[in-house]
Amino acid sequence: MAEFLQFFFSGLTVGAVYALVALGFTLIYNASDVINFAQGEFVMLGGLSTVFLAMAGIPLPLAALLAVLLTIAVGIALYYLAIEPARGASAVSLIMITIGASIFLRGTAQVVFDKRFHSLPPLFGSDPIRWGGAAILPQSLVVLAGAAIIVVLLWLFIDRTLLGKAVIATAANRLAAWLVGINTRQIVGLSFAVSAGIGAIAGILVTPITLTSYDVGTLLALKGFAAAMLGGIGSALGAVVGGLVLGMLEAFSAGYVSSKYKDAVAFLIILIVLFAIPNGLFGRGKVERV
Amino acid sequence: MSKLRHAVAVAAMSMAALTAGQPAAAQIKIGSVLSVTGPASFLGDPEKRTLEIYVEEINAKGGVNGQKLQLIVYDDGGDANNARTFATRLVEEDKVVAMVGGTTTGTTMAMIPVFEEAQIPFISLAGAVQIIEPVRKWVFKTPHTDRMACEKIFADLKRRNLTSIAIISGTDAFGKSMRDQCVAIAPKAGIKVIHEETYGPRDSDMTPQLTNIRNKAGVQAVVNAGFGQGPAIVTRNFRQLDIKVPLYQSHGVASKQFISLAGPAAEGVRLPAAALLVADKLPNNDPQKPVVTAYSRTYTQKTGQPVSTFGGHAYDGLMILVQAMQRAKSADKAKVRDEIERTKGFIGTGGIVNMSPTDHMGLDLSAFRMLEIRNGDWTLVPEGGS
Amino acid sequence: MREPASHRLALLGALAVVIVLMPLIFPSAYYYRVGALVFIFALAAVGLNLLMGFAGQVSLGHAGFLGIGGYAMAIGPVHLGVPPWASLLAGAVISAVVAFIVGRPILRLKGHYLAVATLGLGVLIAIVLTNEASWTGGPDGMSVPRLVLFDWAVRGSQQWYWISAATFLVGAILAFNVIDSPTGRALRAIHDSEVAASVLGVDVARGKLAIFVISAVYASVAGSYLALINGHVTPDIAGFLRSIELAAMVVLGGMGSILGSLVGAAVLVVLPQTLTILHDYEHLVLGLILMGVMIFLRQGIVPSLAAAVSGRQT
């Protein structure tokens, strides 16, 4: 029983990371139909900028805040300089642009920062909390709490504010939203900014557990994308659930099946789920107009 | 037709760009294909910096045999296909006379045929024993083999009467290769490997694997074969799960940064490492002390980063090559190769190198020191006997 | 249609002439190698283009088939005693079978779901290649014996240049034939609208599956050549980044344009070679160039340039 609990904690820890990345994918996709493969780089920028700003002598909380602002600026720049000029391009072209952006951001990070691994101090110390024979790091709970808070804040924003309604309208039908006077360009730019911010915050929260370096973005994007699709792209709840499920699959495969094949088992199960539920766990099927 | 002319112009410009930066003059061209980016950048980046720093230093002191060195470095990104393309480029286009590089075993193996056919001495910076076994006329290497790391760890285990171990290794080339060697020599060393787990090199939580190891009855020690961030996370998880048996890391941790990343969990961890990591702790009569102290100082000053044993391997490779050229009094490929093979008593960061026609690495087990981490710093473990 | 039949013959002829004349300006064997790599990747890109550009099905895992073809050239001769030419065929057959089996369920998915499913497939293949070390040599890979055809051992970049160029031309001709065939017409109908196509009686599922299998075979042959020209094969031949690279070649060159696949492959093989003069900045610049091309030539290089030259806005 204790080992089941330990695998569960491990799944939560890793899953929370994926959930936050998947959330970023979903936000941007909802507003613009773009799958942003640079999402992983937002996470990297948040963590690594904080590390380097702190190394330069800036107190940690301020460094974290600056890192988030910096990443948001990068997200906005990505939209206005790369995505917006290409509006009207096919979905695949837009994906290629974001892939080019992720290569660019990684290449810049390699020059501006360095290629080593870095960590950040955990918020509540590194002594694990022991419960039921298993141990979980306090920082894992921080990441989970962070994900929960972000989801709640997003829901409040979407449901209770006028701007939030505008976002929903843009997501539902951009042309119609534009016709009723919503500045859809700004809405999409906003979604990039918020996604970047979430990515950065995720990076800062998870770095004490996962460590960070200039190229963490690639694998995170891969898994975050898989998690977002598993949960059903377009649903914020789906993104979080997808991330947690992916983390659980990896942890339980590593524990009970084979540590060599844990990633393979996780992907296999994602494939099987998608075969059975082609729109993901919480996804809404798109009505295809003939 | 203007499209065609444009295309030709672009092609011509590209080729001009390709061949640009090739000064005429009598410079000795040394090539290097390293994995500066990609999954092996932890190894390749210090290697590149080291080569650049020391080529500059050597040139500042007048070069080799009166000629300056020209270092040509290409980044293969850890990909064997790219490595081979760059190797071909070094041989055919840049016309190098020697090669110090090949960060990983995969890239090295892909490049060996190119340099063998061109009869250019190739000093590899990769770890696996198959690079020099069987001995290839033109191929040498500077890092210790992972077999030696296993031998060192097993000897220490036996001294502490720990004979049943679990191995947790990264699924990357470094981890797999070392795990294979450890499993292969364990019976002869009197060690039994009773459980194994693996993790992905970029994984962030190894508690499921370590839980299985902790639950396996009879495990007396754990050996972690891996490099980069993996060992740091394994070490942290070890403490998180409150596992009491001793933990051995490998030479893949390579730098003091491991201690700061692993935090208080690193206390009591042992690992085999080159003398480079404990330069300041070596007794004054240790023959390696001057070399490793000088390299540490230079590297940390010039890069602002802690020294890495992988960078040290690049230093050794370059210096062995340079000294061979000096002994041969020329840059002739065949003569240099012969002199590399005659390297005797070369004191490097990795150990004392004595090459021969049957040994193209030249290190023995004394090149590895057993270290233990205490109070956030390395200490040398005294070794009575082997 | 991007390339009308009358243009195609001229195109292929011009290409053949360029292929034959290029070596006259090659200063060294290095250029032959780069050229060979361009044609090898272009072959895989053509196959992927049939799937992505003509049938409109995204695949982010196609490098998995590169891996199957590549490792067939190592496992066949080394472990099973099968001669290289037979291993090449076997690799293609295995890729076709895998594509056939996996294709049916996978191709029921649409859009980004299909993308992630193919991504998962590619990752699965790469993981198996990395982990089954007793067969595949593990992460360090395996060496690949030379291809021997009737006493002639293929060696050297020069020979591979001619072989891969010839194979690419054959592949392009076959691709043109596929496009013109009933299957090809069905493909284009499916791309425009699956619903309309099925209403017209097109067997959508069978059409997609056929193209998936064909594109897998193209990739497998390319992967085999890659393993042979390098004499060594490692699991990153099948990796996620390799799949993205292939997809980028297709999109960059122009989806639906066979010539575009060649251009895309040429760009992504030659560009990193030319950018080495930038040292640390090469990846940064590569990313910028990728973004720039997709923003300003958003149909891909060949279609956008063709449209610009003929004065039409597509």
Side-chain angles (χ1 to χ4, degrees):
Chain A
M1 187 55 208
E3 69 200 33
F4 177 90
L5 205 52
Q6 189 61 60
F7 300 157
F8 179 73
F9 285 161
S10 170
L12 272 185
T13 303
V14 170
V17 178
Y18 298 152
L20 282 172
V21 180
L23 208 50
F25 270 104
T26 300
L27 272 178
I28 290 185
Y29 176 81
N30 262 342
S32 65
D33 284 334
V34 172
I35 296 286
N36 175 26
F37 270 103
Q39 190 65 35
E41 265 62 43
F42 292 152
V43 177
M44 177 271 292
L45 279 174
L48 217 46
S49 311
T50 310
V51 168
F52 274 78
L53 286 170
M55 282 201 314
I58 301 178
L60 202 52
L62 184 58
L65 181 63
L66 285 176
V68 174
L69 292 174
L70 170 71
T71 312
I72 290 180
V74 169
I76 295 178
L78 173 63
Y79 173 65
Y80 280 108
L81 294 178
I83 305 290
E84 217 278 321
R87 89 196 96 98
S90 67
V92 192
S93 299
L94 287 167
I95 291 183
M96 269 314 140
I97 295 179
T98 64
I99 289 178
S102 89
I103 296 176
F104 169 69
L105 289 172
R106 205 158 48 239
T108 312
Q110 140 191 358
V111 169
V112 169
F113 302 128
D114 65 20
K115 300 201 195 76
R116 298 185 298 151
F117 295 99
H118 296 279
S119 183
L120 283 172
L123 272 176
F124 295 110
S126 53
D127 285 325
I129 301 171
R130 301 191 192 281
W131 194 75
I136 189 168
L137 290 171
Q139 192 69 19
S140 306
L141 298 175
V142 171
V143 177
L144 278 168
I149 293 176
I150 290 178
V151 171
V152 167
L153 284 177
L154 275 177
W155 178 79
L156 282 175
F157 170 70
I158 297 281
D159 209 56
R160 299 283 161 89
T161 69
L162 200 55
L163 195 53
K165 299 276 191 249
V167 172
I168 297 190
T170 312
N173 187 326
R174 195 147 342 126
L175 185 57
W178 178 68
L179 282 173
V180 298
I182 296 176
N183 187 337
T184 49
R185 273 183 65 196
Q186 276 185 3
I187 297 293
V188 181
L190 177 67
S191 75
F192 268 80
V194 173
S195 256
I198 292 179
I201 294 175
I204 297 171
L205 290 180
V206 308
T207 294
I209 304 175
T210 66
L211 305 181
T212 186
S213 72
Y214 82 105
D215 61 351
V216 287
T218 318
L219 195 59
L220 276 180
L222 173 65
K223 299 210 169 161
F225 176 51
M229 302 312 297
L230 174 65
I233 193 90
S235 159
L237 182 62
V240 174
V241 169
L244 289 174
V245 168
L246 180 58
M248 292 291 169
L249 285 175
E250 282 185 13
F252 282 106
S253 312
Y256 287 128
V257 181
S258 147
S259 49
K260 261 200 311 190
Y261 280 105
K262 64 174 175 63
D263 283 349
V265 172
F267 269 105
L268 194 58
I269 295 191
I270 291 182
L271 277 177
I272 294 175
V273 169
L274 286 179
F275 289 164
I277 315 174
N279 283 313
L281 296 171
F282 292 92
R284 296 160 239 121
K286 269 205 150 118
V287 177
E288 189 180 343
R289 303 204 147 243
V290 181
Chain B
M1 271 295 104
S2 68
K3 247 201 315 182
L4 183 61
R5 248 186 277 144
H6 181 72
V8 169
V10 168
M13 277 196 291
S14 318
M15 284 204 258
L18 269 175
T19 52
Q22 304 261 10
Q27 291 199 331
I28 302 178
K29 295 197 189 165
I30 300 181
S32 185
V33 179
L34 300 170
S35 306
V36 186
T37 58
S41 63
F42 185 73
L43 297 79
D45 188 53
E47 288 167 359
K48 176 174 184 238
R49 290 170 187 258
T50 300
L51 288 177
E52 287 173 341
I53 292 172
Y54 278 91
V55 165
E56 205 181 295
E57 268 206 14
I58 292 172
N59 282 344
K61 297 200 187 113
V64 173
N65 300 335
Q67 291 176 291
K68 295 263 193 295
L69 295 175
Q70 187 194 353
L71 179 68
I72 303 170
V73 179
Y74 292 123
D75 170 22
D76 60 29
D79 183 278
N81 181 47
N82 292 350
R84 188 158 171 132
T85 304
F86 285 125
T88 310
R89 186 167 170 179
L90 283 174
V91 167
E92 303 279 345
E93 277 294 290
D94 302 306
K95 307 231 192 303
V96 298
V97 301
M99 154 87 166
V100 178
T103 303
T104 69
T105 305
T107 53
T108 297
M109 296 311 289
M111 292 193 286
I112 283 179
V114 176
F115 291 109
E116 283 196 309
E117 200 170 311
Q119 301 194 331
I120 290 178
F122 175 11
I123 302 183
S124 165
L125 305 179
V129 75
Q130 74 214 60
I131 294 173
I132 43 149
E133 251 174 50
V135 169
R136 296 178 173 80
K137 182 170 178 206
W138 294 91
V139 180
F140 305 83
K141 87 182 195 81
T142 51
H144 323 81
T145 62
D146 24 35
R147 182 190 295 163
M148 289 167 62
C150 295
E151 288 174 342
K152 201 77 180 177
I153 293 175
F154 288 164
D156 198 66
L157 283 169
K158 290 235 67 174
R159 265 197 299 276
R160 291 165 96 182
N161 276 325
L162 307 164
T163 52
S164 288
I165 64 167
I167 297 182
I168 178 169
S169 57
T171 54
D172 51 274
F174 185 100
K176 177 94 175 60
S177 180
M178 181 167 165
R179 172 255 166 218
D180 287 346
Q181 289 301 315
C182 283
V183 166
I185 68 167
K188 212 165 39 125
I191 302 286
K192 272 184 41 200
V193 179
I194 60 175
H195 192 80
E196 283 193 63
E197 296 277 345
T198 63
Y199 58 88
R202 305 311 298 263
D203 283 353
S204 46
D205 186 283
M206 280 56 125
T207 51
Q209 294 94 324
L210 289 172
T211 303
N212 285 341
I213 287 180
R214 187 183 61 182
N215 288 348
K216 178 85 185 173
V219 169
Q220 295 175 319
V222 178
V223 175
N224 178 200
F227 77 102
Q229 65 176 71
I233 295 182
V234 165
T235 309
R236 287 178 173 190
N237 288 159
F238 219 71
R239 177 170 178 265
Q240 174 185 344
L241 295 178
D242 203 25
I243 302 181
K244 304 278 195 241
V245 298
L247 173 63
Y248 281 79
Q249 287 292 349
S250 74
H251 51 309
V253 314
S255 114
K256 198 147 183 208
Q257 207 197 0
F258 165 74
I259 302 184
S260 54
L261 284 178
E267 193 74 9
V269 170
R270 290 197 176 187
L271 56 108
L276 179 58
L277 288 182
V278 284
D280 47 341
K281 304 221 168 31
L282 293 171
N284 285 336
N285 57 6
D286 190 307
Q288 276 189 279
K289 183 149 179 151
V291 173
V292 296
T293 314
Y295 173 74
S296 280
R297 199 179 310 128
T298 308
Y299 187 86
T300 44
Q301 251 174 26
K302 289 262 165 82
T303 64
Q305 292 178 0
V307 79
S308 153
T309 50
F310 293 112
H313 297 320
Y315 171 87
D316 292 350
L318 180 65
M319 290 310 171
I320 289 177
L321 175 66
V322 162
Q323 290 186 9
M325 284 182 177
Q326 285 168 337
R327 287 197 300 271
K329 297 197 186 25
S330 94
D332 173 74
K333 298 178 264 195
K335 291 197 188 133
V336 170
R337 185 218 80 88
D338 291 339
E339 282 304 328
I340 296 177
E341 207 175 55
R342 293 198 198 109
T343 301
K344 292 269 188 280
F346 168 79
I347 303 179
T349 65
I352 303 181
V353 179
N354 292 299
M355 299 222 196
S356 79
T358 50
D359 183 358
H360 276 197
M361 180 184 65
L363 289 171
D364 65 17
L365 214 49
S366 69
F368 261 141
R369 317 295 176 106
M370 189 52 85
L371 305 182
E372 183 175 318
I373 300 173
R374 262 190 240 138
N375 297 325
D377 200 1
W378 310 111
T379 59
L380 281 158
V381 170
E383 298 163 54
S386 87
Chain C
M1 193 48 259
R2 302 245 184 245
E3 281 131 355
S6 54
H7 286 192
R8 283 192 208 152
L9 210 50
L11 187 63
L12 287 172
L15 210 49
V17 168
V18 168
I19 289 173
V20 169
L21 291 182
M22 279 282 268
L24 295 177
I25 49 173
F26 282 170
S28 76
Y30 161 65
Y31 291 90
Y32 279 107
R33 179 176 163 91
V34 173
L37 286 176
V38 168
F39 287 117
I40 290 175
F41 280 109
L43 183 66
V46 164
L48 188 56
N49 205 342
L50 286 174
L51 183 66
M52 282 178 62
F54 290 96
Q57 309 295 308
V58 171
S59 170
L60 292 184
H62 237 62
F65 298 116
L66 275 182
I68 294 179
Y71 271 85
M73 305 313 296
I75 295 177
V78 174
H79 287 301
L80 301 171
V82 179
W85 64 265
S87 300
L88 203 154
L89 290 172
V93 168
I94 295 174
S95 294
V97 168
V98 170
F100 188 80
I101 297 177
V102 181
R104 267 211 185 272
I106 265 192
L107 290 167
R108 278 192 284 133
L109 299 167
K110 303 227 181 5
H112 304 297
Y113 294 98
L114 175 61
V116 87
T118 50
L119 193 151
L121 174 66
V123 167
L124 272 171
I125 295 178
I127 292 178
V128 171
L129 290 174
T130 306
N131 281 332
E132 290 305 312
S134 50
W135 278 100
T136 66
D140 280 332
M142 276 176 84
S143 57
V144 174
R146 287 195 201 281
L147 177 66
V148 178
L149 291 168
F150 309 111
D151 272 354
W152 163 49
V154 181
R155 65 181 297 156
S157 310
Q158 222 173 336
Q159 295 182 355
W160 278 109
Y161 173 80
W162 297 116
I163 295 180
S164 48
T167 311
F168 170 76
L169 280 177
V170 170
I173 295 173
L174 284 175
F176 283 136
N177 281 337
V178 167
I179 295 169
D180 275 343
S181 70
T183 312
R185 286 197 288 275
L187 273 189
R188 280 177 272 147
I190 291 170
H191 189 179
D192 286 336
S193 164
E194 277 191 40
V195 177
S198 66
V199 163
L200 287 173
V202 173
D203 188 340
V204 171
R206 213 184 67 152
K208 290 199 277 190
L209 187 61
I211 282 303
F212 192 58
V213 169
I214 291 174
S215 67
V217 171
Y218 270 81
S220 179
V221 174
S224 296
Y225 278 21
L226 202 55
L228 286 168
I229 194 179
N230 285 330
H232 192 79
V233 67
T234 54
D236 39 46
I237 193 180
F240 169 58
L241 288 176
R242 192 53 93 210
S243 289
I244 298 288
E245 199 182 334
L246 275 181
M249 289 176 187
V250 171
V251 179
L252 215 62
M255 296 223 288
S257 160
I258 302 293
L259 176 63
S261 301
L262 180 60
V263 170
V267 166
L268 284 179
V269 169
V270 175
L271 202 53
Q273 295 294 317
T274 51
L275 290 178
T276 54
I277 46 175
L278 298 171
H279 297 293
D280 274 340
Y281 296 87
E282 64 175 281
H283 295 285
L284 199 162
V285 172
L286 182 66
L288 274 176
I289 293 179
L290 259 169
M291 282 197 283
V293 170
M294 291 319 303
I295 294 173
F296 295 112
L297 298 169
R298 63 188 63 161
Q299 308 260 25
I301 296 178
V302 169
S304 302
L305 288 181
V309 158
S310 64
R312 269 180 292 125
Q313 281 307 310
T314 333

